[in-house]
Amino acid sequence: MKKIFPIVLVGLLLVGCQQVKNNKQEVSDLEKEKEKVALVLEKYVLANEKQDIDLVHEIWASEPDIVVIGTNSDEKIIGWDAIEKVMQRQFDSFEDTYISVHDQVIEVNSTGNTAWFSEILNYNYIYQGEAKQYEGLRFTGVLERDGEDWFIVQSHMSIPGSPE
């Protein structure tokens, strides 16, 4: 009996682990989910170009713990309310924004509830009457799916440094 107990215990552990693994709900069409995420990222660009705070609200999770890390060393914005204020302040300061995107990579986990992305942005706008541009901004982030919709929950934008 003592020799059978370890074998039964190992068997139960293996069956239990297999059940946990099988409880993960796989998404049938990851490419479709990637397309949905790409649409959210396209809306991000449009929201900035059109200075549309309602569109910004459509793509960001309205949660108090979402995070944006911006290009300034002290720019860490936490929560939807803070993000909304920063975006509105930017919209009030910028004119004629144009953003082009390239080198976009989107991945979705196998359960289809989390996605992450990276892309390069060329960001052009008018600030206080002067044309400004940032070439090669690195934009990364994480999205979560809620029902059929995807929402940004974290983003990070950085300016590439010059090697000296």
Side-chain angles (χ1 to χ4, degrees):
M1 183 72 169
K2 289 183 178 181
K3 291 181 181 180
I4 294 176
F5 181 73
I7 294 170
V8 171
L9 183 61
V10 169
L12 288 173
L13 286 172
L14 290 173
V15 169
C17 289
Q18 187 64 33
Q19 286 177 343
V20 169
K21 184 177 180 182
N22 289 339
N23 283 340
K24 277 189 166 181
Q25 196 173 18
E26 300 284 323
V27 165
S28 61
D29 192 350
L30 288 177
E31 289 306 313
K32 180 180 175 185
E33 297 306 318
K34 286 182 181 182
E35 289 173 9
K36 289 180 182 180
V37 170
L39 182 59
V40 171
L41 297 175
E42 187 175 324
K43 285 181 178 180
Y44 175 87
V45 170
L46 291 173
N48 277 278
E49 289 180 341
K50 295 181 177 191
Q51 299 182 335
D52 185 341
I53 201 69
D54 292 330
L55 189 53
V56 171
H57 194 268
E58 282 182 33
I59 62 176
W60 278 92
S62 299
E63 304 296 329
D65 58 350
I66 61 176
V67 177
V68 171
I69 298 176
T71 55
N72 292 334
S73 61
D74 64 345
E75 194 171 23
K76 183 176 182 182
I77 308 156
I78 300 175
W80 165 247
D81 293 337
I83 291 168
E84 181 181 34
K85 287 177 188 170
V86 168
M87 293 297 293
Q88 189 60 60
R89 193 170 41 237
Q90 177 181 313
F91 292 166
D92 292 343
S93 301
F94 291 7
E95 298 176 51
D96 299 327
T97 301
Y98 174 74
I99 302 169
S100 64
V101 178
H102 59 94
D103 297 335
Q104 185 179 71
V105 175
I106 297 171
E107 297 295 336
V108 175
N109 71 342
S110 63
T111 59
N113 63 355
T114 305
W116 54 97
F117 71 92
S118 65
E119 58 190 21
I120 305 298
L121 305 177
N122 294 329
Y123 205 106
N124 302 278
Y125 58 97
I126 305 294
Y127 177 72
Q128 296 181 344
E130 186 178 333
K132 301 280 185 178
Q133 74 177 31
Y134 287 103
E135 299 293 320
L137 285 172
R138 299 171 294 191
F139 184 41
T140 65
V142 178
L143 295 88
E144 288 183 351
R145 189 172 64 133
D146 184 7
E148 291 298 311
D149 299 320
W150 285 93
F151 298 95
I152 301 171
V153 295
Q154 184 273 328
S155 75
H156 179 216
M157 192 172 292
S158 63
I159 302 169
S162 300
E164 293 183 32

